[in-house]
Amino acid sequence: MSTDDVVTVRGLVKTFGAVRALDGLDLAVAPGEVHGFLGPNGAGKSTTLRVLLGLVRADAGSVRLLGGDPWHDATRLHGRLAYLPGDVSLWPGLTGGQCLDVLAAARGGLVESRRRELVERFDLDPTKRARDYSKGNRQKVALVAALAADAELLLLDEPTAGLDPLMERTFQDVVHERRADGVTVLLSSHLMAEVEALADRVSIIRHGRTVTTGSLADLRRHTRTTVHAVTSTEPTGLRAVTGVADLVIEPAGPHTDVRFSVDADHLDDAVGRLHAARLHTLTVQPPSLDTLFLRSYDSDAPGAPPDDGAHAGRVDDSIPEVDGRHRAGRGAR
Amino acid sequence: MTGLGPLLRIRWRTMRRSALVWVLALVGTMAATAVSVAELYDTPTKVQTYADAIATDALVAVNGRVEGLDTLGGIVQDEFGFLAAFLMPLLGVGLVTAATRREEESGRLEQLLAGRVDRRAPVLASLVVVVVTVVVTMVGFAVSLVAAGVPTEGSVLYSLSLGALALVFAALAALLAQVVLHARAVYGVALAVLAVAYVFRGVGDVRGWWVVWLSPLGWAERTAPFGEPRWWVLLVPLVVAVLLAGAAVVLAARRDLGSALWRGGAGPERASTLLQRPLGLAWALQRGSFVGWLVGSTVLAAVMGSLAQEVVDALTGNPALEVYISLGDDPADGFLAMVVLYLAILGIGYVVQALGILRQEETEGRLEPQLAGTVARTRWLGAHLGVVLAGLVVILGASSAVLGLTSASVTGVGSVWPVVGAGLAYVPAVIVVAGLAAALFGLLPRGYVAAWGVFGGVTFIAFLGAGLQMPQWLLDVSPTTHVGTPPQGDVSGVALAVLVVVAAALTAAGVVGFRRRDVPRG
């Protein structure tokens, strides 16, 4: 965690009455990165963003945003960021175009050329009254207002809620462009695929705490590749390869059916052994963050579904320790 | 009808609290009025004094032409007349709107109709709950009247006529909910109908015109419960209510969900520079309620002002009336003072409703993105408070000017400026309530509804304080008491200054609270 981070949150606590919405949350967003902020519903994502905006006051912990204190310097800092709330609500009597301008004006305006371009790309009719918009169209109005802003930091709370896949794609393209312009993005979401497509780094939170955080590459390295092969002879020495687990070798007619999972660093070694046994077919499933994501959520949820065989018993292994902020797996199953 | 049972349970569960509040408030007011009247007018002589004094066109315009004013029940009907004329229709409109078009707007109706529910069941269930509420209210009315010593037959007929009035407006709201797109529009049209009904009843009563019979308020009055009772008149509102409700149910079965007769077309593509400023947005959000209250208060002022000549005639020939309205230099002054106080009450209604929009912005999630911009909390709040204050000055100034103009033109004496001065003299009193509303928004946002309670209390004291001879300490609770009775009485500059200071202190508390609290606070 460097001092010039755009967002630095340490040990953040916020309670609403008896509910502890944030319980020692940590978060660091570096300049120029797209940071995925993942968590299930009710994990505290929106509350964290509200604290970052000075809308809600932290009970404990330290919060820095763009080098300032979000509560005391709220309006000064807000000129440098744009925010998309999780629950978009527009003024029913105004048109979409008017709402867009009003939302943008609240943060100090937008880039005209970008507004025109984004209205076009998101296929928005700005002359319609907001009350007549569908949920997706309301979302688009707020999205354009945020994305057309000339901001250093974008705080996006579940930005693609209600968008169709085509518009989701457009959204991803625009975020890539903004990132290329040097804009930092904090992207809150519960959709792994969206974060995987956009984020450089990811923080996963649950029950108001950070479960894990790290770059996508880090996380990928710590997820496992599943391998399914059919070989002519039984492969030897696989059990001895470091990193191989869940090994199942079964005869399948004249061939041998082999299944196992392996971490990224030892994939080459393992596949070498298969090769030596003369490969017939080979299916390699790339590491999916979904698995990691689900596991981070589930690990002490009561009544969680039993694991599929491939990953049984390796919950703790699958969660990487990055930046010494490993929190999951305590008392897991 | 499929699904009527479950719908009734849902409506009962969601409406019972507001229904209970209505029943308690209405029956409480009626009981208080009846008991006070019974205590004050405990001899036939005193009752006769009241009858002599009140049977003048001025009060007939306000409270209605009550038959049987020389009875205890007649006095209660007269004292309760103005409040009843607004509260009973509001009971019907408020409950029905919340249960019909608001449910449809929020999308909850869609979810219900996706179940095994007849399309007619939701509106029918809402009407049933309102009917039950009205029946309970009527029983409460009748019991409190009889307990205060009013004859049983008159009490029952009077209670029934008030209940029928509420049902007419409930059915009207149910029909409107099928044809307009938004709950606010249902309120708007229903209140406009009520205003027209009030004008027809007022003018008709004073001039003896048949237009009284076009007004639901006139139907309630013409049952004459304390004169020569006309039970058959009850049929008029009941038939009208059944027809309106029937039309609502039929329409509900035939129309598309979420549809309306009138929808707005395309609008401007860009926001004006003004709209992009906090002040401009505040104005855009407040405009609707401002225009509504402005129209309402100027219409009331015009109607009252045009009746000033009748008042002057009555006054010069009836010394007994001086008990209620004493003569000043201008014989119409006492009457004007009363109307100006009513205009101030409307001003209080305006500020409470207008500042309620702030809370609505917060709970509906539109405040958050604004404060996430460079707009400081104080600037946002200041813009709204400024718009509301300016709106109040315009409403009181314009309506009192209309009152002065119409009154001067029909009587040929007096001038406009003292009346405008009188209207504006109430601004400090009204902003005390505005300050209280701002303080609630800043410090206890969830308790904002208490501001409506304050409005109700002030209205109660203003309308019934003099007639019921309330103790001075109770009168002093209301800020309007401290203004005096302009243009008739003297206005104390010190009192106005104190009111301004109180208002400023309350507003400051609200601003400080708002700066410190979490947004949104649920």
Side-chain angles (χ1 to χ4, degrees), chain B residues 413-432:
Chain B
V413 289
S415 97
V416 178
W417 297 113
V419 185
V420 174
L424 294 180
Y426 276 102
V427 168
V430 178
I431 61 173
V432 167

Side-chain angles (χ1 to χ4, degrees), chain B residues 101 171-181 185-191 193 248:
Chain B
R101 191 42 89 156
L172 173 71
L175 179 60
L176 288 171
Q178 311 302 320
V179 293
V180 303
L181 200 54
V186 176
Y187 265 104
V189 179
L191 290 183
V193 171

Side-chain angles (χ1 to χ4, degrees), chain A residues 78 83 89 91 95 106 127 131, chain B residues 182 267-268 361 364 368 373-374 518:
Chain A
H78 292 173
Y83 168 58
S89 172
W91 296 275
T95 64
T127 64
R131 63 168 70 104
Chain B
H182 291 279
E361 284 285 287
E364 291 175 12
E368 197 182 334
T374 50
D518 292 346

Side-chain angles (χ1 to χ4, degrees), chain B residues 265-281:
Chain B
E269 194 180 329
R270 300 300 303 257
S272 63
T273 342
L274 179 68
L275 189 57
Q276 295 188 30
R277 306 175 65 83
L279 198 61
L281 181 61

